[in-house]
Amino acid sequence: MARMVNFSLDEDSKFDDDGRVKRTGTLMTASAHIITAVIGSGVLSLAWATAQLGWIAGPIALLAFSVITWFTSILLADCYRSPDPITGRRNYTYMDVVKANLGGRKFQFCGLAQYLNLFGITIGYTITSSISMVAIKRANCFHDEHIREGCHEPNNNFIITFGLMQVLLSQIPNFHKLGWLSVVAAVMSFGYSSIGLGLSINSIADGEARPKTNLTGIPIGEGMSAMDKMWNSFSALGDIAFAYSFSTVLVEIQDTLKSSPPENQVMRKATFVGISVSTVFYTLCGVLGYAAFGNKAPGNLLTGFGFYEPFWLVDLANVFIVVHLVGAYQVFAQPLFGFVENWCKQRWPESTFIAKEQQIMLPGCGIFNFSLFRLIWRTIYVILTTVVAMAFPNFNDVVGLLGAAVFWPLAVFFPIEMYIAQTKMRKFSTTWIWMQILSFTCLIISLLAAAGSIQGLIKDMPTLKPFKSQS
């Protein structure tokens, strides 16, 4: 007999200390959320990033960003409750944490950076998933026709297909109900990352190509000018920084955890697990991918067709990518959904259209709370991201720019400043000085990465074809 799953917010009669429905999140679900948020399909572009930076700077950059992200995530986890990290009042979103600890214009700046970034990520995931769907057809074409070029397909139909899936999944009420989807997405991320690693190892073991590699990356002179080398290196840093930027949803993930043991203690463990696993996969994919393809490493090992055979394994990896991105879209969209819906409820508290929910019995799933407002608003959002994805097929460059722009404020600056404010750290103390040095260094890196992304946008502008993208 199928297990009944209740999607209702009223499924538990017990409540937390603030009157909200009792949370059920655990170390496992939080770790799955983090892995889903951190390990995106961008992991397969790290071979390209390593090729730009070389054998020395590439692995160092991967390790450095993982340590920085882990450190600042711990600071952010301790700010979830205020003023005390264990007994203080809960802050349900990243913006709530900033408002409670810093307030004022910093709170407004945080909201702009966070939700603009979430919007950009969902568009980027829409584009990336369509490329993986097209890659499945192209891999089959390469195998059937015995060619290594051509077999191009338009992206728009696949973008629309992904959008239709998101219209359905967007009706999941809130972050608390995403545990199962994140677990599935996390498994998928392990699947395609492992396939990419396996194919890289096989290519290295085969030893036929013997690709060229360098300690400092692609050398100047082999179709690479000094300026191109500089911009590509900046873009590579932006790719790595963006790959580790999950702070935009960290508080929302922490808000799913049970109140006992203390949320910050569980989140410390979940963050360590999530970032450690992600770093291992990132480093292996970057290093082994570079070893397999050298200075000619493609932008994506699986959709850029660094591998053509076995075609069925390439197909399977791209299926895993699509399933992962289906879940990852929701992980990043749910905070934005919740913000808009809570704002509307506060703005129009008497509106039955906004507040009313109807209980519907779904066969095999139990009771589902249906909201017409939620259906309309979230469907409009998904349509918007779908249309923008079709209109700007090179939007991944824009997402890279957004990632570079928000890495410093959301992943570094705000966590450090909030921790300093909460602990009442003495100004110009040794710890305060080192934290400021870290923040300033990350600011410089973000600015350089943003400059690289802007240069890429300018370079791609002449070839931009809205609504006519193909892979």
Side-chain angles (χ1 to χ4, degrees):
M1 183 176 180
R3 181 176 178 268
M4 299 292 283
V5 179
N6 195 335
F7 288 94
S8 170
L9 291 177
D10 299 319
E11 65 184 11
D12 196 331
S13 60
K14 296 181 180 180
F15 297 88
D16 279 321
D17 54 0
D18 59 353
R20 291 200 172 197
V21 176
K22 193 175 184 68
R23 294 159 291 161
T24 58
T26 63
L27 173 62
M28 186 189 75
T29 60
S31 299
H33 281 315
I34 292 171
I35 292 172
T36 301
V38 177
I39 301 183
S41 61
V43 65
L44 299 172
S45 70
L46 293 179
W48 178 88
T50 305
Q52 311 310 311
L53 299 173
W55 285 118
I56 299 176
I60 289 176
L62 287 166
L63 182 60
F65 277 108
S66 70
V67 172
I68 292 171
T69 305
W70 170 73
F71 173 69
T72 57
S73 296
I74 287 177
L75 302 184
L76 185 56
D78 284 343
C79 296
Y80 169 68
R81 287 183 179 266
S82 57
D84 185 87
I86 296 178
T87 61
R89 180 180 61 84
R90 284 169 59 192
N91 297 296
Y92 310 113
T93 67
Y94 194 110
M95 286 185 65
D96 289 341
V97 176
V98 175
K99 185 176 183 179
N101 289 279
L102 301 177
R105 292 185 177 180
K106 291 180 179 178
F107 165 68
Q108 297 173 344
F109 172 61
C110 168
L112 177 64
Q114 181 186 11
Y115 294 119
L116 184 62
N117 185 45
L118 294 176
F119 178 67
I121 289 174
T122 53
I123 296 173
Y125 281 178
T126 303
I127 296 173
T128 305
S129 66
S130 71
I131 293 174
S132 288
M133 293 179 195
V134 172
I136 296 172
K137 294 195 67 174
R138 294 188 69 198
N140 295 338
C141 175
F142 292 151
H143 177 76
D144 295 338
E145 303 296 332
H146 303 289
I147 58 176
R148 293 174 70 90
E149 295 181 359
C151 296
H152 296 291
E153 291 280 342
N155 290 356
N156 286 349
N157 291 339
F158 298 97
I159 291 176
I160 293 172
T161 300
F162 184 82
L164 292 174
M165 288 188 286
Q166 293 305 329
V167 168
L168 179 62
L169 290 173
S170 291
Q171 301 315 306
I172 296 174
N174 52 50
F175 221 122
H176 299 265
K177 309 299 179 183
L178 282 180
W180 64 274
L181 188 58
S182 280
V183 170
V184 171
V187 171
M188 293 298 102
S189 67
F190 285 127
Y192 66 72
S193 297
S194 298
I195 291 173
L197 286 174
L199 291 174
S200 296
I201 293 172
N202 181 69
S203 178
I204 295 170
D206 191 29
E208 294 182 1
R210 297 188 181 278
K212 293 183 179 180
T213 62
N214 297 82
L215 289 178
T216 57
I218 301 175
I220 298 173
E222 297 182 9
M224 175 75 68
S225 67
M227 289 297 293
D228 287 339
K229 173 70 174 178
M230 180 184 70
W231 291 123
N232 286 355
S233 296
F234 291 163
S235 294
L237 288 175
D239 286 351
I240 297 172
F242 184 62
Y244 280 106
S245 295
F246 77 103
S247 298
T248 50
V249 294
L250 188 145
V251 175
E252 284 79 359
I253 293 173
Q254 189 166 348
D255 191 50
T256 67
L257 293 172
K258 298 176 181 178
S259 58
S260 180
E263 301 94 344
N264 65 327
Q265 295 180 13
V266 177
M267 201 62 186
R268 283 170 176 259
K269 297 177 182 178
T271 300
F272 179 78
V273 171
I275 293 181
S276 296
V277 171
S278 302
T279 300
V280 169
F281 271 87
Y282 279 7
T283 304
L284 288 174
C285 284
V287 171
L288 294 180
Y290 184 39
F293 296 100
N295 297 331
K296 295 182 179 180
N300 188 306
L301 293 182
L302 297 174
T303 63
F305 289 96
F307 304 104
Y308 293 82
E309 296 287 350
F311 78 101
W312 62 268
L313 192 58
V314 176
D315 285 354
L316 181 62
N318 281 297
V319 169
F320 286 167
I321 291 175
V322 173
V323 175
H324 172 261
L325 292 178
V326 167
Y329 183 104
Q330 287 300 312
V331 168
F332 284 95
Q334 285 290 341
L336 201 155
F337 291 159
F339 168 74
V340 171
E341 287 158 18
N342 290 332
W343 181 84
C344 289
K345 289 178 182 178
Q346 294 174 3
R347 180 67 176 82
W348 298 284
E350 305 299 326
S351 173
T352 56
F353 170 69
I354 294 175
K356 186 178 180 180
E357 292 189 352
Q358 293 179 330
Q359 290 189 339
I360 300 175
M361 179 64 71
L362 296 179
C365 294
I367 298 175
F368 176 77
N369 284 347
F370 173 77
S371 167
L372 182 60
F373 170 67
R374 183 163 59 231
L375 173 64
I376 295 175
W377 133 245
R378 295 189 181 189
T379 300
I380 291 174
Y381 177 85
V382 173
I383 291 174
L384 178 61
T385 58
T386 302
V387 171
V388 173
M390 291 190 295
F392 298 96
N394 295 334
F395 198 84
N396 279 337
D397 290 326
V398 178
V399 173
L401 174 60
L402 291 173
V406 303
F407 170 75
W408 172 72
L410 295 180
V412 180
F413 174 75
F414 282 123
I416 287 178
E417 291 300 310
M418 289 188 292
Y419 184 79
I420 290 174
Q422 187 179 67
T423 59
K424 297 179 173 59
M425 186 180 297
R426 183 170 58 86
K427 201 171 184 179
F428 298 113
S429 64
T430 302
T431 304
W432 185 92
I433 291 174
W434 279 111
M435 284 191 172
Q436 297 303 322
I437 291 174
L438 173 63
S439 180
F440 180 75
T441 302
C442 290
L443 170 61
I444 298 300
I445 293 173
S446 288
L447 291 175
L448 293 177
S453 297
I454 292 173
Q455 193 272 342
L457 280 171
I458 294 174
K459 186 176 180 179
D460 291 341
M461 196 62 68
T463 61
L464 180 66
K465 296 180 179 180
F467 298 103
K468 295 181 180 180
S469 63
Q470 67 175 12
S471 297

